[in-house]
Amino acid sequence: MKSVIGTRENIQIIEEYSRGGLKVEILQYEKLLGLNRPSMAQAVYFMEKQNIRVRQVALYMNNEKVTIEKGAMSYFQGDLQMTSGVTLGNAVGRFVRGAVTGEQMAQPEYTGTGTLVLEPSFKHFLVLELAEQESIIIDDGMFYCAQGSVKVKAVSQKNVSSALLGGETLFQCQLTGPGIIILESVVPMEEINIIDLNNDVLKVDGNFAVLRSSTLNFTVERSAKTLVGSAVSGEGLVNVYRGTGQVWLAPTIKVYNSMF
């Protein structure tokens, strides 16, 4: 299927992925050419110097299905049908979770053959492919799109007190493969540290772990065995991940948050 960018040199394909009947392109606008005020030009000049670009996701579907975040659709072309993803069997559960967490009642699903282009964003898009039965839990607000073969559901934290103390929500998004998923991130992949655990323990001071394997056990504990030790270290409580799997850490999130 022909790319949506045509021959426009200002829009570049910076990443491509394919699996089954789905092809994904991450597009990047090299410049914003519609500026009409000096103040806009000044702002965009410094944004471009710091690699702040507008990016967009294009999905090319051949008898395929995708689930996207509500409000993420920009436009689509071809024989595609949109459904809400809500059935009588899951409507009550979605309503209860939404009342507690603010989660969207429904995530749109598009099925068929055609091109689906999602909303442009200054954020970064992280694309990864989950293997069969591979399951991850992602940070709140990161879900953007998933291939139809991926199971998307909200899961409750096993330990409510740990969720609250660790700065996490009571419900998080769990994605189970196989298939391609796209996450929307404040930081680029180059600033994410992937930590592999093999029957090991990882302790993190803060909630900048943006992704973890579902196989890991998450708790919040004192940084030292005693209250005095925690006070001396200056850390207090830390997020603890135990078991075998991966944790994706984005330490620079703290830096970006301190700028605002």
Side-chain angles (χ1 to χ4, degrees), residues 32 35 37-50 52 122:
L32 292 176
L35 308 180
R37 292 195 303 273
S39 59
M40 295 171 61
Q42 183 181 32
V44 170
Y45 173 81
F46 289 108
M47 289 166 61
E48 290 175 353
K49 288 294 184 181
Q50 292 300 317
I52 301 176
F122 280 116

mmCIF file of all heavy atoms in Angstrom, residues 32 35 37-50 52 122:
data_model
loop_
_atom_site.group_PDB
_atom_site.id
_atom_site.type_symbol
_atom_site.label_atom_id
_atom_site.label_comp_id
_atom_site.label_asym_id
_atom_site.label_seq_id
_atom_site.Cartn_x
_atom_site.Cartn_y
_atom_site.Cartn_z
ATOM 1 N N LEU A 32 7.982 22.960 10.402
ATOM 2 C CA LEU A 32 6.612 23.462 10.355
ATOM 3 C C LEU A 32 6.613 24.667 9.421
ATOM 4 O O LEU A 32 7.180 25.717 9.738
ATOM 5 C CB LEU A 32 6.140 23.851 11.758
ATOM 6 C CG LEU A 32 5.965 22.678 12.743
ATOM 7 C CD1 LEU A 32 5.593 23.191 14.120
ATOM 8 C CD2 LEU A 32 4.921 21.694 12.246
ATOM 9 N N LEU A 35 4.143 28.853 9.402
ATOM 10 C CA LEU A 35 4.301 29.947 10.366
ATOM 11 C C LEU A 35 3.905 31.279 9.732
ATOM 12 O O LEU A 35 4.257 31.571 8.590
ATOM 13 C CB LEU A 35 5.745 30.017 10.854
ATOM 14 C CG LEU A 35 6.338 28.700 11.389
ATOM 15 C CD1 LEU A 35 7.766 28.922 11.842
ATOM 16 C CD2 LEU A 35 5.492 28.149 12.518
ATOM 17 N N ARG A 37 3.665 34.305 12.041
ATOM 18 C CA ARG A 37 3.962 35.381 12.983
ATOM 19 C C ARG A 37 5.408 35.238 13.456
ATOM 20 O O ARG A 37 5.890 34.113 13.650
ATOM 21 C CB ARG A 37 3.021 35.347 14.191
ATOM 22 C CG ARG A 37 1.573 35.682 13.867
ATOM 23 C CD ARG A 37 0.782 36.003 15.142
ATOM 24 N NE ARG A 37 0.831 34.914 16.107
ATOM 25 C CZ ARG A 37 -0.009 33.880 16.114
ATOM 26 N NH1 ARG A 37 -0.961 33.807 15.185
ATOM 27 N NH2 ARG A 37 0.085 32.938 17.020
ATOM 28 N N PRO A 38 6.116 36.357 13.681
ATOM 29 C CA PRO A 38 7.507 36.289 14.154
ATOM 30 C C PRO A 38 7.657 35.504 15.453
ATOM 31 O O PRO A 38 8.650 34.788 15.634
ATOM 32 C CB PRO A 38 7.891 37.765 14.333
ATOM 33 C CG PRO A 38 7.006 38.499 13.386
ATOM 34 C CD PRO A 38 5.711 37.744 13.375
ATOM 35 N N SER A 39 6.702 35.637 16.359
ATOM 36 C CA SER A 39 6.802 34.920 17.629
ATOM 37 C C SER A 39 6.761 33.408 17.416
ATOM 38 O O SER A 39 7.441 32.648 18.113
ATOM 39 C CB SER A 39 5.669 35.347 18.569
ATOM 40 O OG SER A 39 4.401 35.079 17.984
ATOM 41 N N MET A 40 5.953 32.947 16.463
ATOM 42 C CA MET A 40 5.899 31.529 16.132
ATOM 43 C C MET A 40 7.231 31.062 15.560
ATOM 44 O O MET A 40 7.738 29.996 15.912
ATOM 45 C CB MET A 40 4.770 31.263 15.123
ATOM 46 C CG MET A 40 3.373 31.528 15.647
ATOM 47 S SD MET A 40 2.125 31.444 14.327
ATOM 48 C CE MET A 40 2.299 29.758 13.774
ATOM 49 N N ALA A 41 7.821 31.892 14.686
ATOM 50 C CA ALA A 41 9.095 31.524 14.056
ATOM 51 C C ALA A 41 10.197 31.386 15.095
ATOM 52 O O ALA A 41 11.031 30.475 15.015
ATOM 53 C CB ALA A 41 9.467 32.575 13.010
ATOM 54 N N GLN A 42 10.214 32.282 16.072
ATOM 55 C CA GLN A 42 11.245 32.224 17.116
ATOM 56 C C GLN A 42 11.114 30.948 17.936
ATOM 57 O O GLN A 42 12.108 30.261 18.209
ATOM 58 C CB GLN A 42 11.131 33.449 18.020
ATOM 59 C CG GLN A 42 12.210 33.512 19.101
ATOM 60 C CD GLN A 42 12.053 34.720 20.002
ATOM 61 O OE1 GLN A 42 10.937 35.182 20.266
ATOM 62 N NE2 GLN A 42 13.164 35.254 20.471
ATOM 63 N N ALA A 43 9.872 30.627 18.328
ATOM 64 C CA ALA A 43 9.653 29.420 19.124
ATOM 65 C C ALA A 43 10.053 28.167 18.356
ATOM 66 O O ALA A 43 10.743 27.287 18.876
ATOM 67 C CB ALA A 43 8.190 29.344 19.549
ATOM 68 N N VAL A 44 9.640 28.078 17.096
ATOM 69 C CA VAL A 44 9.926 26.898 16.288
ATOM 70 C C VAL A 44 11.419 26.781 15.995
ATOM 71 O O VAL A 44 11.970 25.672 15.925
ATOM 72 C CB VAL A 44 9.101 26.925 14.985
ATOM 73 C CG1 VAL A 44 9.570 25.837 14.026
ATOM 74 C CG2 VAL A 44 7.621 26.754 15.309
ATOM 75 N N TYR A 45 12.107 27.904 15.832
ATOM 76 C CA TYR A 45 13.554 27.888 15.572
ATOM 77 C C TYR A 45 14.288 27.148 16.691
ATOM 78 O O TYR A 45 15.116 26.264 16.436
ATOM 79 C CB TYR A 45 14.084 29.314 15.448
ATOM 80 C CG TYR A 45 15.587 29.395 15.345
ATOM 81 C CD1 TYR A 45 16.238 29.178 14.131
ATOM 82 C CD2 TYR A 45 16.370 29.685 16.469
ATOM 83 C CE1 TYR A 45 17.621 29.241 14.036
ATOM 84 C CE2 TYR A 45 17.755 29.750 16.381
ATOM 85 C CZ TYR A 45 18.376 29.528 15.168
ATOM 86 O OH TYR A 45 19.745 29.588 15.088
ATOM 87 N N PHE A 46 13.991 27.496 17.937
ATOM 88 C CA PHE A 46 14.668 26.851 19.062
ATOM 89 C C PHE A 46 14.191 25.411 19.253
ATOM 90 O O PHE A 46 14.966 24.543 19.681
ATOM 91 C CB PHE A 46 14.460 27.670 20.338
ATOM 92 C CG PHE A 46 15.225 28.965 20.346
ATOM 93 C CD1 PHE A 46 14.577 30.182 20.197
ATOM 94 C CD2 PHE A 46 16.609 28.964 20.468
ATOM 95 C CE1 PHE A 46 15.292 31.376 20.182
ATOM 96 C CE2 PHE A 46 17.330 30.155 20.463
ATOM 97 C CZ PHE A 46 16.668 31.364 20.307
ATOM 98 N N MET A 47 12.927 25.134 18.936
ATOM 99 C CA MET A 47 12.422 23.762 19.006
ATOM 100 C C MET A 47 13.182 22.855 18.041
ATOM 101 O O MET A 47 13.591 21.741 18.388
ATOM 102 C CB MET A 47 10.922 23.742 18.700
ATOM 103 C CG MET A 47 10.063 24.342 19.796
ATOM 104 S SD MET A 47 8.360 24.674 19.260
ATOM 105 C CE MET A 47 7.825 23.040 18.824
ATOM 106 N N GLU A 48 13.399 23.341 16.828
ATOM 107 C CA GLU A 48 14.112 22.542 15.835
ATOM 108 C C GLU A 48 15.565 22.317 16.238
ATOM 109 O O GLU A 48 16.130 21.251 15.988
ATOM 110 C CB GLU A 48 14.032 23.215 14.469
ATOM 111 C CG GLU A 48 12.627 23.173 13.865
ATOM 112 C CD GLU A 48 12.529 23.940 12.556
ATOM 113 O OE1 GLU A 48 13.521 24.616 12.190
ATOM 114 O OE2 GLU A 48 11.465 23.874 11.910
ATOM 115 N N LYS A 49 16.179 23.305 16.880
ATOM 116 C CA LYS A 49 17.556 23.155 17.349
ATOM 117 C C LYS A 49 17.672 22.036 18.381
ATOM 118 O O LYS A 49 18.716 21.392 18.505
ATOM 119 C CB LYS A 49 18.046 24.479 17.941
ATOM 120 C CG LYS A 49 18.317 25.578 16.921
ATOM 121 C CD LYS A 49 19.492 25.223 16.022
ATOM 122 C CE LYS A 49 19.829 26.351 15.062
ATOM 123 N NZ LYS A 49 20.955 26.021 14.166
ATOM 124 N N GLN A 50 16.599 21.815 19.143
ATOM 125 C CA GLN A 50 16.595 20.789 20.187
ATOM 126 C C GLN A 50 15.877 19.507 19.741
ATOM 127 O O GLN A 50 15.482 18.694 20.571
ATOM 128 C CB GLN A 50 15.937 21.338 21.459
ATOM 129 C CG GLN A 50 16.735 22.436 22.139
ATOM 130 C CD GLN A 50 18.109 21.950 22.565
ATOM 131 O OE1 GLN A 50 18.261 20.856 23.098
ATOM 132 N NE2 GLN A 50 19.136 22.772 22.309
ATOM 133 N N ILE A 52 12.974 19.003 18.599
ATOM 134 C CA ILE A 52 11.549 18.896 18.908
ATOM 135 C C ILE A 52 10.803 18.942 17.586
ATOM 136 O O ILE A 52 10.712 19.979 16.934
ATOM 137 C CB ILE A 52 11.085 20.032 19.840
ATOM 138 C CG1 ILE A 52 11.873 19.998 21.145
ATOM 139 C CG2 ILE A 52 9.593 19.914 20.118
ATOM 140 C CD1 ILE A 52 11.558 21.141 22.086
ATOM 141 N N PHE A 122 4.019 16.048 19.547
ATOM 142 C CA PHE A 122 5.412 16.390 19.821
ATOM 143 C C PHE A 122 6.097 15.296 20.637
ATOM 144 O O PHE A 122 7.316 15.331 20.823
ATOM 145 C CB PHE A 122 5.503 17.713 20.581
ATOM 146 C CG PHE A 122 5.376 18.933 19.698
ATOM 147 C CD1 PHE A 122 4.316 19.807 19.846
ATOM 148 C CD2 PHE A 122 6.321 19.196 18.725
ATOM 149 C CE1 PHE A 122 4.198 20.925 19.032
ATOM 150 C CE2 PHE A 122 6.221 20.312 17.912
ATOM 151 C CZ PHE A 122 5.152 21.185 18.058
#
